[in-house]
Amino acid sequence: MKRFEFKVALHILVIFLLSIGSCLLYQRQLWFSTTVCILFLIGTGMHLYRIQFKQITLLRRLTDGLRYNDMTQNLHPPFKNKMMDEWAQELSNALKDFRGKLLAEEVKHQYYENLLNKVDTAVLVTDASGHIEWMNQAAVAHLGQISQLPDVLQEASISNDMSMIRIEQNGIVLEMAISCTTFATQGKKQRLISLKNIHSVLERNEMEAWQKLIRVLTHEIMNSITPIISLSETLSERGIPESLGEKEYSAMLQAMQTIHRRSKGLLGFVENYRRLTRIPTPIRTKVSVAELFMDLKKLFPEEYIHFEMPASDLYLYADRAQIEQVLINLLKNARETCERKIDKEIQIKFFSKDNPTLTISDNGEGILTDVLDKIFVPFFTTKTSGSGIGLSLCKQIMTLHDGSINVKSEIGKGSCFILTFPK
C-alpha cells in the first residue's frame, strides 16, 4: 500500500512539474517542446485516472459483496500491475477475515438458537410495546404463533420480579412462572421474558403429598382394624359358655359377626384407597394405537361408542396395561354420564401432529364449573356410589408417563378428556 501511495504522489509531482515546464516553455515560445511537454502531461494524467478508475471498480465489487452478503469472491486487479496486485490481495485478505468472523458468529447464533429451542422454558424477546421479535419453540407451543404479547403477560412483565400467572391455551388453563429482564441494544429498549410451566410440577407435588397422607392414614387405620377382626373371629369361634344361655350367646354372636363384617368392609375400603400409593413405574413399550382401540372396542361394543381408527403405523411409547386402564376408567365414566341421553355419542380419537394425544369426548351432562378443578383430587366424587380414586389414578398414571390429562366440559353439552404424551 505504501508503494501505491508513492506512485500516486509521484504522478502528482510529475503533473506539477510538467505543468510548470509547459508554462515556462510557452513563455519562451518553444512550441515543439511545449507540445511535447503537454502531451506528457496529458498522458500522465490519463494514467493516473486509469489507476483511480480501476481502483474504484475494485471498491465497487467489494461493496457489492458486502451489500449482498457475498463473501466468497476473491478480488483480482483488472490489469497487470504490481501495485494493483498488492492492493487487490490486501482487499481479498480483509474480505476473507471478515467472512471468517461472520461464519463464526453464524455458528454461534445457530448454537444458541438450537439450545434455546430445546429447553422446555418459553423464552421471548419483545420491545417496550410488547411486540414479539423472537420466541423459541416452547413459547410457540404454549402461546401459539403470535406477534403481540397477550395483555396478561404484558402486565406481568412490567415488573422485573418473578410472578405467577394463569393463561388459557386451547381450553387448558396453564399455571406459569414469569420473569422479565430489561436490556438495551443499539439504543433500543427490549425485554427478555421467560415462562416456566409449573402446572405439572405443582400437580406432581400435590400427588406426592396426597400419597404420603394416604400412607399414614392407611397404616394407622389398618393397625386398628386388624386386632378388631382377629378378636371378633376368636369370639365367634368359641363354644357356648356355661354362664350364658343360648339366647344371650346368640345376641353376642350376632354382634361379633356384625363387628367382623363391618371391619372387613372397612379393611377393603382402606385397601382400595391404598392402591393410590402403589402404582408401579411404567414399563414403556411400543404400543400400536390401532390394536389398543380394537381391544377396547371388544370391551365397549356399544354402537354409540365410536373409535376413530388411526393408520396402522401410529404408535405410543407407554405402559400398555396402565394406559388401557386409564382409557377404561374414562370410557366407563363417559358411558355413565350419557345414560340419560337419547342420542348418546362417545368418540375416541388419536392425534400425532405435535405431541401424541388421545381424546375421549361425550355428549353427556357435563361437569359443573365449581367442581371441574377438583375431579382429579383423591377421594373427591360426585357419584353416590363412587370411591373418588378413578380419575386420581388416571392422573397419577399420566404423570408417571411424563404426560398430562386435562378436561374441557360444558353443562348439557358434554365433556372431553385430553391425554397428552411426550414425543
Side-chain angles (χ1 to χ4, degrees):
M1 208 58 196
K2 290 182 178 180
R3 187 185 182 92
F4 173 76
E5 293 173 356
F6 173 74
K7 286 197 172 187
V8 171
L10 181 62
H11 277 71
I12 294 173
L13 179 62
V14 170
I15 290 172
F16 177 73
L17 293 175
L18 287 173
S19 298
I20 295 176
S22 298
C23 291
L24 294 174
L25 291 172
Y26 178 76
Q27 289 176 357
R28 296 182 182 183
Q29 298 183 351
L30 298 173
W31 309 116
F32 178 77
S33 299
T34 303
T35 303
V36 171
C37 193
I38 291 174
L39 289 175
F40 273 111
L41 178 63
I42 294 172
T44 305
M46 291 180 63
H47 189 263
L48 179 62
Y49 171 78
R50 186 167 176 261
I51 292 175
Q52 295 300 319
F53 180 79
K54 299 301 182 182
Q55 186 180 22
I56 291 172
T57 302
L58 281 178
L59 288 174
R60 183 171 296 171
R61 287 183 59 193
L62 176 64
T63 54
D64 287 343
L66 293 174
R67 178 182 300 169
Y68 300 109
N69 203 22
D70 180 14
M71 303 297 170
T72 59
Q73 61 177 324
N74 288 320
L75 300 177
H76 301 285
F79 57 88
K80 292 294 182 181
N81 183 280
K82 186 176 182 182
M83 176 183 62
M84 296 299 293
D85 287 341
E86 292 177 356
W87 189 53
Q89 185 63 39
E90 289 183 11
L91 288 177
S92 297
N93 291 337
L95 200 62
K96 184 178 179 181
D97 293 340
F98 188 55
R99 180 171 66 244
K101 292 178 181 179
L102 281 181
L103 289 174
E105 291 296 325
E106 181 66 23
V107 170
K108 189 184 296 184
H109 172 75
Q110 292 181 2
Y111 170 78
Y112 286 119
E113 187 167 3
N114 289 330
L115 180 65
L116 288 171
N117 282 327
K118 290 297 181 182
V119 299
D120 59 355
T121 300
V123 180
L124 306 93
V125 178
T126 72
D127 58 17
S129 63
H131 178 74
I132 298 175
E133 298 183 354
W134 183 86
M135 58 197 306
N136 67 349
Q137 292 297 325
V140 174
H142 289 314
L143 305 174
Q145 199 73 46
I146 58 176
S147 59
Q148 186 69 27
L149 206 63
D151 293 338
V152 62
L153 290 180
Q154 179 75 353
E155 293 174 3
S157 63
I158 295 175
S159 173
N160 289 334
D161 298 329
M162 182 174 288
S163 57
M164 301 278 294
I165 60 168
R166 291 167 66 92
I167 61 174
E168 184 174 344
Q169 178 68 21
N170 297 327
I172 300 173
V173 177
L174 301 176
E175 294 177 284
M176 312 195 80
I178 177 174
S179 61
C180 177
T181 303
T182 303
F183 63 98
T185 55
Q186 298 179 348
K188 183 180 178 182
K189 192 174 181 181
Q190 292 179 307
R191 288 180 293 177
L192 177 65
I193 301 172
S194 64
L195 295 168
K196 179 69 176 177
N197 184 7
I198 61 172
H199 186 69
S200 58
V201 178
L202 293 176
E203 286 181 343
R204 189 180 294 273
N205 292 339
E206 181 184 9
M207 201 63 65
E208 290 177 356
W210 276 110
Q211 288 182 346
K212 291 177 182 178
L213 176 61
I214 293 168
R215 289 192 189 102
V216 174
L217 291 176
T218 54
H219 177 74
E220 295 299 325
I221 293 173
M222 294 189 69
N223 283 347
S224 301
I225 292 175
T226 303
I228 294 175
I229 295 175
S230 177
L231 179 60
S232 63
E233 287 177 346
T234 301
L235 291 174
S236 298
E237 291 171 357
R238 284 186 178 180
I240 300 175
E242 295 179 358
S243 58
L244 289 177
E246 187 174 345
K247 187 177 181 180
E248 289 82 359
Y249 177 74
S250 178
M252 183 187 71
L253 181 62
Q254 187 177 4
M256 292 300 102
Q257 289 174 344
T258 302
I259 293 174
H260 183 262
R261 184 174 62 253
R262 293 306 302 152
S263 298
K264 288 198 72 174
L266 185 57
L267 184 63
F269 178 79
V270 173
E271 188 63 32
N272 189 33
Y273 285 157
R274 210 172 176 186
R275 291 166 52 202
L276 285 172
T277 65
R278 292 184 175 178
I279 301 176
T281 302
I283 301 175
R284 304 187 192 189
T285 57
K286 193 176 182 180
V287 179
S288 169
V289 178
E291 292 180 4
L292 178 63
F293 280 9
M294 290 175 64
D295 290 343
L296 289 170
K297 182 65 177 174
K298 296 175 184 177
L299 297 175
F300 298 91
E302 291 87 347
E303 293 183 359
Y304 62 87
I305 300 180
H306 305 287
F307 290 84
E308 188 176 289
M309 290 294 179
S312 58
D313 58 345
L314 295 181
Y315 295 91
L316 274 176
Y317 288 91
D319 189 304
R320 166 66 185 264
Q322 291 187 5
I323 295 304
E324 192 174 73
Q325 186 60 50
V326 170
L327 294 175
I328 289 172
N329 287 346
L330 295 176
L331 287 170
K332 283 182 177 179
N333 290 346
R335 188 168 60 183
E336 290 176 6
T337 193
C338 291
E339 284 181 349
R340 299 181 184 178
K341 287 279 186 176
I342 298 176
D343 53 341
K344 305 175 184 177
E345 185 177 9
I346 299 173
Q347 291 186 342
I348 301 92
K349 298 180 182 180
F350 177 75
F351 305 93
S352 59
K353 184 177 180 181
D354 296 318
N355 290 71
T357 304
L358 281 166
T359 62
I360 300 92
S361 57
D362 63 72
N363 64 341
E365 299 175 355
I367 305 171
L368 294 172
T369 306
D370 56 347
V371 301
L372 195 60
D373 59 344
K374 302 175 185 176
I375 60 174
F376 296 111
V377 175
F379 317 134
F380 179 84
T381 181
T382 57
K383 302 177 185 177
T384 55
S385 59
S387 62
I389 65 169
L391 289 177
S392 179
L393 280 170
C394 295
K395 185 78 169 181
Q396 287 200 62
I397 290 172
M398 291 304 298
T399 301
L400 290 172
H401 278 79
D402 297 321
S404 64
I405 177 172
N406 294 281
V407 60
K408 294 189 290 184
S409 185
E410 191 172 347
I411 295 297
K413 293 186 178 181
S415 305
C416 179
F417 283 85
I418 304 164
L419 308 179
T420 306
F421 297 84
K423 291 183 179 180

